[in-house]
Amino acid sequence: MNSDPILNLLDLATRLCIVILAILTSYLLVKIDPDVIRSRIYVSFSNLKKYFIVLTAGLVLYLFELLLTINSVPGSTQYDGIKGLMQLAFQLTVLIFLYHLYVAIKVPDRRIL
């Protein structure tokens, strides 16, 4: 956590959204037949592949945030803003990927069929 209350609030909001989407996705994975899940992921694979590449870029930011933390002086707040933004960017990429995975797995609207 850093000293900026806005980044702390955004951090809390994104973490809550990630947990909620992870629970919803887990529920779908348990509830729906594995063959149906595989076919839905196969249909939307190109879309998921794009967002997985975005997630990989977020993981690089997460690594840079760790390197800044390791190389900073203990107790220093010099890079708190930068580290907070990098962590927030990583959390947003995880959130975006989870959202698109959830959309790919969930049951389509019956009015469409």
Side-chain angles (χ1 to χ4, degrees):
M1 300 300 273
N2 55 45
S3 59
D4 190 7
I6 294 174
L7 282 178
N8 288 337
L9 182 66
L10 289 174
D11 181 42
L12 176 66
T14 53
R15 286 179 192 226
L16 285 174
C17 290
I18 288 171
V19 168
I20 290 169
L21 268 176
I23 290 171
L24 289 173
T25 305
S26 298
Y27 174 73
L28 287 179
L29 289 174
V30 169
K31 182 180 142 187
I32 299 174
D33 185 59
D35 291 330
V36 175
I37 291 174
R38 277 191 286 272
S39 68
R40 289 182 184 157
I41 289 176
Y42 178 76
V43 167
S44 61
F45 181 73
S46 62
N47 192 24
L48 286 175
K49 186 168 59 171
K50 287 189 297 191
Y51 290 107
F52 191 78
I53 292 170
V54 171
L55 178 64
T56 305
L59 286 168
V60 170
L61 286 176
Y62 190 62
L63 177 67
F64 285 154
E65 186 265 335
L66 176 69
L67 292 175
L68 274 178
T69 303
I70 290 173
N71 291 328
S72 65
V73 177
S76 172
T77 60
Q78 182 179 6
Y79 297 114
D80 274 355
I82 295 171
K83 290 189 293 188
L85 288 175
M86 286 182 177
Q87 186 176 9
L88 184 65
F90 167 68
Q91 290 172 349
L92 287 175
T93 58
V94 169
L95 185 65
I96 289 169
F97 179 74
L98 276 177
Y99 171 75
H100 287 285
L101 182 64
Y102 175 75
V103 168
I105 293 174
K106 77 175 183 149
V107 177
D109 191 9
R110 297 288 180 205
R111 292 176 289 169
I112 296 173
L113 301 175

